[in-house]
């Protein structure tokens, strides 16, 4: 890695089907030109070799653990404290927010860019209660797919 290298950027996709990790390739090339290392991979459930059948394997605490395990195992992070930037879309952003809530994200994220999902409190307010937004309620219906039987295999 060059002496002027900047911190690692880990890119987490959402429920983006066949595009998944590939949605970040152009951004990764631009970041590379600016001196950043980048990493994008299929998250748990989006690859035939990483799609457990048991529901507890998809609990958010486990998905958060995947973030740090993948970054640690990649060998790309040169930060002495293991810190890195996270750019996340859709379901990946939900997991990123959860990582911040658990504390590990607060300790290790240099920055967090959520590309489509606000903090869970803001998101909940848009879906339920006196501030609910009917357009947002309709737009988020795709999330119901996550609880359907075999939903993790829809793109494998």
């Amino acid at each position: 890695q060059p002496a002027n290298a900047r911190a690692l950027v880990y890119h987490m996709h959402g429920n983006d089907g066949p595009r998944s990790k590939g949605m970040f390739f152009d951004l990764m090339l631009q970041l590379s030109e600016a001196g950043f290392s980048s990493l994008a991979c299929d998250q748990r459930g989006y690859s035939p070799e990483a799609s457990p059948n048991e529901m507890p394997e998809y609990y958010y605490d486990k998905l958060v653990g995947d973030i740090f395990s993948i970054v640690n195992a990649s060998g790309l992070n040169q930060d002495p404290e293991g810190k890195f930037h996270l750019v996340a879309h859709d379901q990946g952003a939900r997991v990123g927010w959860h990582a911040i809530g658990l504390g590990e994200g607060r300790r290790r994220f240099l920055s967090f860019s959520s590309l489509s999902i606000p903090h869970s409190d803001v998101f909940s307010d848009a879906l339920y209660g006196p501030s609910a937004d009917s357009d947002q309620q309709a737009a988020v219906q795709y999330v119901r797919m996550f609880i359907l039987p075999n939903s993790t295999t829809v793109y494998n």
Side-chain angles (χ1 to χ4, degrees):
Q1 197 163 16
N4 66 346
R6 298 183 181 196
L8 172 70
V9 180
Y10 178 43
H11 307 266
M12 290 182 66
H13 64 79
N15 187 29
D16 300 296
R19 296 179 354 188
S20 55
K21 66 181 178 257
M23 70 183 295
F24 294 110
F25 289 166
D26 290 339
L27 176 59
M28 293 170 73
L29 288 171
Q30 292 174 0
L31 287 169
S32 176
E33 291 170 3
F36 290 90
S37 296
S38 286
L39 172 64
C41 61
D42 288 329
Q43 290 185 66
R44 182 186 300 238
Y46 291 89
S47 171
E49 298 301 316
S51 297
N53 291 320
E54 301 79 28
M55 186 179 290
E57 294 302 311
Y58 295 93
Y59 290 171
Y60 272 59
D61 289 0
K62 288 208 180 227
L63 300 177
V64 165
D66 288 350
I67 296 172
F68 303 106
S69 295
I70 289 167
V71 167
N72 294 345
S74 75
L76 294 172
N77 194 4
Q78 302 300 314
D79 185 273
E81 296 178 17
K83 295 183 177 188
F84 58 98
H85 301 280
L86 180 64
V87 175
H89 178 253
D90 196 47
Q91 177 67 4
R94 285 185 191 89
V95 176
W97 283 117
H98 194 71
I100 291 168
L102 292 177
E104 186 73 7
R106 286 193 304 275
R107 287 188 293 279
R108 295 200 47 199
F109 296 164
L110 290 167
S111 68
F112 173 56
S113 299
S114 172
L115 301 183
S116 62
I117 300 292
H119 185 275
S120 57
D121 289 344
V122 174
F123 194 53
S124 292
D125 286 347
L127 298 178
Y128 307 105
S131 301
D133 179 299
S134 59
D135 290 336
Q136 185 61 54
Q137 290 171 330
V140 76
Q141 289 303 307
Y142 75 94
V143 175
R144 296 178 66 202
M145 183 191 79
F146 294 139
I147 63 169
L148 297 175
N150 300 313
S151 65
T152 61
T153 62
V154 74
Y155 296 119
N156 289 340

